[in-house]
Amino acid sequence: MDAVRVALLREVLAGTEWLGATRRFAEVLRGSVVAHGGGLLLVGTPEYEPWHLAAHLVDEAAWSGTPELAPTLVRHHVRPSDPAHLAVGPGRIEAARRGETLLVVAPEEPAPLLERVHGARRAGVTVLALGAGGGELAAMAHDTLAVPQGAELDLDSVQHLVSAAAGENGGGVSPRVRRGFRDRLSRLAEVLTAPPPAPW
């Protein structure tokens, strides 16, 4: 989902609780990783890996001048042939320590994942959760954004709103370097409306 679609989604959601909820959660996420200088781990479940959220957070980290937002994607099934950035297995959660943040995106709560998250929390890791809410994961997490089944938005859409808001929140970055959502949207509009290059 690109910046224009996120803007349209926000327009549709104006007046609902979703905009405030996703911005608040994004602010907590950004505040946690920036305060500790990075160390963001992102994990889903064996059946649901948050690839798109990882990619969008990497983009937002670059666009906002906030490298701390770029996550390490932790995967449940890693093969020896996987490239290094896709070869981080669940053992990384067990190795996490105080100062790191673990963002869990889980439509369901498999027991092995809950055990690892519990261990990380006991080790001093800040745990944030995006999921159905109300389960053990919500009880363990320092902060949660619940996306119940049957809600107006699905988990994928909420992740897009959170990642976009995470890139916008906060200050402390030079205005020359930091590019907010409106700046990115304006640049995208310029690119889309520019005349085609002249033929050689």
Side-chain angles (χ1 to χ4, degrees), residues 47-117:
E47 291 75 33
Y48 186 91
E49 290 189 325
W51 297 90
H52 283 100
L53 180 57
H56 286 297
L57 284 172
V58 167
D59 288 344
E60 292 297 337
W63 289 332
S64 67
T66 312
E68 299 89 349
L69 281 175
T72 297
L73 179 63
V74 178
R75 302 179 60 218
H76 293 272
H77 306 292
V78 176
R79 296 169 304 213
S81 60
D82 288 336
H85 70 287
L86 297 177
V88 179
R92 180 63 182 87
I93 298 173
E94 294 162 11
R97 294 293 173 256
R98 183 176 306 282
E100 292 185 285
T101 301
L102 175 62
L103 174 55
V104 184
V105 181
E108 68 278 337
E109 300 183 0
L113 175 62
L114 291 176
E115 289 169 17
R116 287 189 172 99
V117 172

Side-chain angles (χ1 to χ4, degrees), residues 4-200:
V4 173
R5 290 192 181 125
V6 170
L8 291 173
L9 181 58
R10 285 176 168 172
E11 192 174 312
V12 168
L13 294 171
T16 71
E17 65 182 28
W18 285 109
L19 291 185
T22 53
R23 283 193 169 121
R24 181 202 58 77
F25 188 80
E27 188 173 335
V28 171
L29 170 61
R30 183 178 176 125
S32 177
V33 297
V34 170
H36 295 107
L40 174 59
L41 303 176
L42 174 62
V43 68
T45 67
E47 291 75 33
Y48 186 91
E49 290 189 325
W51 297 90
H52 283 100
L53 180 57
H56 286 297
L57 284 172
V58 167
D59 288 344
E60 292 297 337
W63 289 332
S64 67
T66 312
E68 299 89 349
L69 281 175
T72 297
L73 179 63
V74 178
R75 302 179 60 218
H76 293 272
H77 306 292
V78 176
R79 296 169 304 213
S81 60
D82 288 336
H85 70 287
L86 297 177
V88 179
R92 180 63 182 87
I93 298 173
E94 294 162 11
R97 294 293 173 256
R98 183 176 306 282
E100 292 185 285
T101 301
L102 175 62
L103 174 55
V104 184
V105 181
E108 68 278 337
E109 300 183 0
L113 175 62
L114 291 176
E115 289 169 17
R116 287 189 172 99
V117 172
H118 181 66
R121 169 143 183 157
R122 286 179 50 203
V125 174
T126 299
V127 177
L128 305 177
L130 270 171
E136 288 182 56
L137 182 58
M140 270 188 260
H142 293 88
D143 205 328
T144 285
L145 179 55
V147 188
Q149 284 192 338
E152 300 91 345
L153 289 181
D154 61 12
L155 190 56
D156 289 337
S157 298
V158 169
Q159 290 174 71
H160 286 295
L161 291 171
V162 167
S163 62
E168 296 170 355
N169 286 329
V173 178
S174 164
R176 209 178 68 212
V177 174
R178 185 172 180 271
R179 294 180 60 201
F181 175 75
R182 289 184 184 183
D183 295 332
R184 295 194 314 267
L185 187 57
S186 174
R187 176 149 168 63
L188 180 62
E190 286 173 14
V191 170
L192 293 175
T193 58
W200 291 96

